[in-house]
């Protein structure tokens, strides 16, 4: 039905036209934005130049000319059964018009005329193109008409216009006041060429000719093109009109009062909702401080939840914990508010603050855990929401504040020693292993005899003294990372901390000669090298923390690693003696984007022990460097100075910082 050479060589011909443009007579097409379409149809003898080799691309096309184009493009068979009284008895154009009429593509006026020399309007052209789709056995679908001048489209043409819009054959004209269809305006020769080109693409893609007519082809979106749409009452409507740039789509969205922008089928802009880390090759998503993605702030595992602010075709502005930054748009998934089916939330159970975690890729809850004692502002039976585990809200969009809560162990410096003895730690370990074994789970069947945590109490207290790292923290990290010492890495490689086990390949992991070597590596190569002392490249605070403050900023992709470690510590301590809980006065060194010097004595004239580097204090300014205050004094300079546990490695033990640079907080 369609010219075979036209169908089979569609891509090749267009490529040749674009790269070579061998047609020598295209005198008036140079630099014309629609020249490729005209040349394409010229090479197929559908659109013909005049005697001087010109096409007059901006001239209004007539009804007769467009009917001839359709007949030539479709290679319609000749017909003499349909005649119009205002056509010559013979002639090529008469034959072509009659062929199109016989095919049911064009029609005349009630008086029996066709009026071939009249300029064809855009709505008339839409009708001819729609009838061509019917002739080519393309399933008819229609898109909602959202043009500013919908009321000017005659009712008998609205179905035709909707079909053309659905298949992106004819789009509206974008103006400062919105998108207009301009139904009564004439179409130009160049526009007609473009419409025919898109019509052919539609026929090639969706025609049921020669196939099962009960089967409706499913349109495949162009993943590099942009679309606009709307979400209302939980229903997404995606307009089929294609936009080649994001700016075009954004203008169209705003002009038509829509609220979604797509790239292919992916939503890249929405009015409100949740952003989440998408499935990436590295299984993590990085948050940057700048829109050019030069400086990384933190990162999170795929499926993690972010607070959404805004987005475009390059990035999404999101918040992870209290860190606001830029994520690459291809690495995030945007879920409009009314389509959110699950999200992270907190609740009170038995007087304890419990966190339930949702994976936005699997769309499943992946468990819950106790963090600590519940704050007084939280009530049983109510869900609370938080990005940072400190600032809590009553809604998942984080707009209505419910209260502030700091988990003690999450923000207590690991420089604070534990009050548990080696023997008590060994007893705690064996009790926990016995309970694991009693669950009947196969992986814990030999926990009390094979776990690499057995007998670790003495080592924990030794390294606590030598490395100034809390023994209960080390134990909690080993329980969490090494599944109580019975993970494959722990049993096969003596690796109880998952050292060098990456999100992209969890089978990796460093092998150690002994369990003790694994502990020393955790302290010497990680905690005391890069994460706690201010000389470290990842120093964001000497506490488990979150993705804004503490080890968790860079140490683990799990945004709740810090709160989970704190949960282990709280549960162990609350069960076995409460020897560590609330035994220290906690505070933050707040630099507000500057630096803070820690001194060897309570005076600015004393030697500088180290400098707290400038860091992100969070959108709510709730975070700094977690520290423990052990004493204070009023100095001769008129300031109160706080004596703090030093973030520096041993033998450094204490430093002094002015009190106006330190903010105390109450932790539960």
């Amino acid at each position: 039905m369609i010219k075979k050479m036209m169908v089979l060589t569609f891509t090749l011909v267009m490529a040749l036209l674009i790269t070579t443009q061998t047609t020598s007579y295209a005198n008036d097409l140079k630099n014309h934005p629609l020249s490729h379409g005209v040349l394409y149809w010229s090479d197929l003898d559908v659109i013909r130049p005049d005697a001087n080799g010109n096409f007059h691309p901006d001239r209004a096309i007539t009804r007769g000319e467009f009917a001839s184009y359709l007949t030539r493009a479709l290679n319609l068979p000749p017909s003499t059964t349909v005649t119009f009284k205002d056509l010559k008895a013979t002639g090529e154009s008469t034959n072509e018009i009659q062929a199109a009429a016989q095919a049911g593509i064009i029609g005349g006026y009630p008086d029996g005329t066709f009026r071939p020399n009249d300029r064809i309007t855009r709505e008339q052209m839409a009708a001819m193109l729609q009838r061509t789709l019917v002739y080519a056995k393309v399933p008819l679908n229609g898109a909602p008409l959202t043009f500013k001048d919908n009321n000017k489209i005659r009712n008998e043409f609205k179905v035709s216009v909707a079909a053309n819009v659905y298949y992106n054959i004819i789009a509206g004209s974008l103006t400062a006041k919105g998108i207009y269809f301009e139904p009564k305006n004439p179409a130009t020769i160049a526009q007609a060429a473009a419409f025919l080109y898109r019509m052919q693409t539609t026929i090639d893609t969706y025609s049921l000719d020669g196939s099962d007519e009960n089967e409706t082809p499913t349109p495949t979106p162009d993943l590099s093109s942009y679309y606009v749409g709307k979400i209302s009452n939980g229903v997404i409507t995606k307009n089929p009109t294609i936009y080649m740039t994001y700016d075009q789509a954004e203008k169209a969205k705003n002009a038509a009062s829509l609220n979604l922008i797509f790239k292919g089928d992916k939503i890249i802009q929405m009015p409100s909702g949740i952003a989440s880390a998408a499935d990436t090759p590295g299984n993590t998503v990085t948050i940057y401080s700048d829109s050019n993605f030069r400086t990384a702030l933190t990162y999170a595992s795929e499926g993690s939840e972010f607070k959404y602010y805004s987005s475009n075709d390059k990035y999404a502005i999101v918040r992870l914990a209290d860190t606001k930054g830029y994520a690459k748009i291809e690495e995030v998934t945007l879920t409009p508010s009314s389509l959110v089916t699950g999200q992270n939330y907190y609740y009170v159970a038995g007087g304890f603050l419990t966190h339930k975690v949702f994976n936005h890729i699997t769309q499943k809850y992946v468990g819950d855990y106790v963090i600590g004692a519940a704050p007084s502002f939280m009530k049983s039976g109510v869900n609370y929401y938080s990005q940072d585990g400190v600032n809590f809200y009553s809604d998942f969009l984080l707009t209505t504040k419910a209260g502030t809560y700091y988990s003690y162990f999450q923000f207590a410096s690991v420089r604070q020693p534990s009050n548990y003895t080696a023997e008590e730690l060994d007893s705690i370990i064996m009790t926990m292993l016995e309970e694991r074994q009693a669950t009947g789970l196969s992986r814990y069947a030999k926990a009390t005899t094979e776990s690499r945590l057995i007998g670790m109490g003495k080592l924990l207290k030794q390294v606590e003294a030598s490395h100034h790292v809390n023994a209960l923290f080390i134990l909690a990290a080993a329980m969490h990372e090494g599944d109580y010492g019975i993970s494959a890495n722990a049993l096969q490689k003596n690796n109880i901390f998952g050292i060098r086990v990456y999100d992209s390949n969890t089978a990796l992991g460093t092998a150690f000669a002994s369990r003790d070597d694994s502990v020393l590596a955790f302290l010497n190569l990680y905690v005391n090298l890069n994460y706690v002392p201010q000389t470290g490249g990842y120093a964001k605070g000497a506490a488990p923390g979150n993705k804004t403050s503490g080890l968790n900023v860079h140490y683990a992709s799990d945004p709740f690693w810090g709160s989970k470690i704190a949960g282990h510590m709280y549960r162990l301590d609350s069960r076995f003696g409460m020897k560590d809980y609330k035994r220290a006065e906690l505070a933050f060194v707040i630099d507000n984007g500057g630096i803070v010097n820690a001194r060897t004595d309570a005076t600015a004239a004393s030697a500088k022990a180290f400098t707290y580097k400038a860091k992100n204090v969070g959108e709510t300014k709730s975070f700094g460097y977690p520290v423990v205050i052990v004493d204070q004094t009023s100095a001769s300079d008129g300031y109160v100075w706080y004596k703090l546990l030093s973030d520096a490695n041993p033998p450094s033990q204490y430093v002094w910082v002015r009190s106006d640079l330190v903010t105390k907080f109450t932790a539960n």
Side-chain angles (χ1 to χ4, degrees), residues 1-2 70 74-77 99-100 102-105 128-138 140 203 207 209:
M1 177 172 56
I2 301 174
L70 289 170
L74 296 171
N75 197 21
L76 296 175
Q102 176 64 33
I105 293 173
M128 291 186 188
L129 290 168
Q130 185 227 22
R131 295 186 199 117
T132 303
L133 298 181
V134 173
Y135 178 82
K137 297 184 179 179
V138 173
L140 287 186
I203 293 171
S207 175
D209 187 36

Side-chain angles (χ1 to χ4, degrees), residues 424-491:
E424 289 170 332
L425 292 171
D426 280 334
S427 177
I428 290 172
I429 291 169
M430 290 309 299
T431 299
M432 300 305 293
L433 294 177
E434 288 167 359
E435 292 179 352
R436 292 293 173 281
Q437 190 164 304
T439 64
L441 295 175
S442 59
R443 73 178 191 270
Y444 295 126
K446 298 180 180 180
T448 58
T449 57
E450 293 188 353
S451 170
R452 295 300 186 262
L453 303 186
I454 296 172
M456 198 166 71
K458 182 178 179 180
L459 174 65
L460 291 174
K461 294 305 289 186
Q462 287 175 343
V463 295
E464 180 179 73
S466 61
H467 289 71
H468 291 183
V469 179
N470 182 283
L472 196 64
F473 163 75
I474 301 172
L475 177 59
M479 287 180 169
H480 180 70
E481 297 285 3
D483 195 10
Y484 293 85
I486 58 87
S487 69
N489 270 298
L491 295 177

Side-chain angles (χ1 to χ4, degrees), residues 114-232:
F114 179 70
R115 303 176 192 175
N117 297 320
D118 285 1
R119 295 189 301 180
I120 187 171
T121 66
R122 287 168 57 86
E123 62 184 3
Q124 290 173 341
M125 185 172 284
M128 291 186 188
L129 290 168
Q130 185 227 22
R131 295 186 199 117
T132 303
L133 298 181
V134 173
Y135 178 82
K137 297 184 179 179
V138 173
L140 287 186
N141 291 291
L145 298 182
T146 57
F147 302 110
K148 291 289 187 179
D149 55 352
N150 277 348
N151 62 325
K152 293 184 179 180
I153 303 172
R154 286 165 56 187
N155 289 334
E156 60 265 37
F157 289 118
K158 285 185 176 178
V159 172
S160 298
V161 173
N164 279 269
V165 171
Y166 180 86
Y167 285 113
N168 197 44
I169 296 172
I170 302 180
S173 300
L174 182 63
T175 72
K177 295 182 179 180
I179 302 175
Y180 291 80
F181 185 74
E182 300 171 336
K184 304 299 187 291
N185 283 11
T188 67
I189 290 175
Q191 289 171 342
F195 299 157
L196 287 172
Y197 179 86
R198 297 170 195 157
M199 177 201 73
Q200 175 192 293
T201 303
T202 300
I203 293 171
D204 290 347
T205 304
Y206 304 117
S207 175
L208 294 176
D209 187 36
S211 63
D212 183 357
E213 296 196 12
N214 292 319
E215 178 183 356
T216 300
T218 300
T220 301
D222 182 350
L223 299 182
S224 64
S225 297
Y226 300 92
Y227 303 81
V228 297
K230 186 173 185 177
I231 182 163
S232 178

